[in-house]
Amino acid sequence: GGGGPVMGRSWLDSAQVKLGLKEEQEPTLLEQIDDATTLTWSQRMTGFAVCFTLGMICSFSSTMFIWHFDAVHFAVTYTVGNILSVSSTAFLMGPANQMKRMFKARRIWATLMYLVMIVMTLVFALAVKDPMLVIICVILQLIALVWYAASYIPFAQRMLKNCCGGCCDFDDGI
């Protein structure tokens, strides 16, 4: 660092270190990443816009592979688009902050399911090359992405549960 306070530390901690009242501690890996990736507001907005736009272009253009019955290229392009779109928010909040938020207790399962589905989609597309499994994984990836995104919106997961529960309620006819 350039001698300034580490992003994750308070001004009080920095003052205590400078006055010799407190020993300086090594910054954590997340603090080092945050410190190394400090951008201006304009750079953050530009990075977000470019990354998100590229992600959307990949995701939407992946549909052309469906019409050619090319499940492998569809899955890879769609997955790259999703990764770019989700990664774009790291420009807004910083990569370390995004990682902290992704793995908070209330969304850890949504994050893990989404990441697992990304990996499974790529494995079935690139290694196994089974179009049916690829399509199933892409559908599950989309569901996992919706669930993950809903974890950032208050009560959205509960509303999705209620909506899906109402749509799949078969008790009426029995």
Side-chain angles (χ1 to χ4, degrees), residues 1-8 27 29-39 96:
V6 175
M7 293 283 287
L29 178 60
L30 286 178
E31 289 171 340
Q32 290 174 3
I33 291 170
D34 242 6
D35 204 23
T37 57
T38 301
L39 301 172

Side-chain angles (χ1 to χ4, degrees), residues 7 33-34 36-41 43-49 51-52 82-102 148 152:
M7 293 283 287
I33 291 170
D34 242 6
T37 57
T38 301
L39 301 172
T40 66
W41 184 84
Q43 290 169 327
R44 286 180 183 274
M45 292 297 115
T46 302
F48 168 76
C51 200
F52 186 78
N82 272 344
I83 292 169
L84 284 169
S85 296
V86 169
S87 298
S88 69
T89 57
F91 284 100
L92 299 178
M93 64 181 89
N97 219 356
Q98 179 160 350
M99 294 302 285
K100 285 180 191 175
R101 288 181 181 190
M102 286 175 71
Y148 168 78
Y152 284 92

Side-chain angles (χ1 to χ4, degrees), residues 1-158:
V6 175
M7 293 283 287
R9 299 203 182 133
S10 72
W11 66 270
L12 182 59
D13 288 336
S14 297
Q16 288 174 334
V17 167
K18 287 180 182 176
L19 292 172
L21 301 173
K22 190 176 187 179
E23 207 172 299
E24 186 167 12
Q25 297 177 344
E26 282 293 313
T28 67
L29 178 60
L30 286 178
E31 289 171 340
Q32 290 174 3
I33 291 170
D34 242 6
D35 204 23
T37 57
T38 301
L39 301 172
T40 66
W41 184 84
S42 177
Q43 290 169 327
R44 286 180 183 274
M45 292 297 115
T46 302
F48 168 76
V50 168
C51 200
F52 186 78
T53 301
L54 288 174
M56 289 292 102
I57 290 170
C58 284
S59 293
F60 287 123
S61 67
S62 70
T63 59
M64 75 179 173
F65 294 112
I66 291 174
W67 306 119
H68 298 325
F69 302 104
D70 188 347
V72 172
H73 285 99
F74 165 70
V76 172
T77 308
Y78 177 78
T79 300
V80 168
N82 272 344
I83 292 169
L84 284 169
S85 296
V86 169
S87 298
S88 69
T89 57
F91 284 100
L92 299 178
M93 64 181 89
N97 219 356
Q98 179 160 350
M99 294 302 285
K100 285 180 191 175
R101 288 181 181 190
M102 286 175 71
F103 291 98
K104 279 188 172 185
R106 72 175 177 271
R107 77 175 52 94
I108 190 165
W109 292 112
T111 299
L112 291 175
M113 181 55 74
Y114 180 57
L115 294 175
V116 165
M117 291 319 307
I118 285 174
V119 170
M120 296 300 293
T121 302
L122 293 174
V123 166
F124 285 129
L126 300 173
V128 178
K129 296 185 181 183
D130 182 331
M132 186 54 78
L133 291 175
V134 168
I135 297 303
I136 290 169
C137 283
V138 166
I139 292 167
L140 293 174
Q141 184 184 142
L142 176 61
I143 292 167
L145 174 61
V146 169
W147 191 253
Y148 168 78
S151 73
Y152 284 92
I153 304 166
F155 306 110
Q157 285 182 328
R158 185 178 302 162

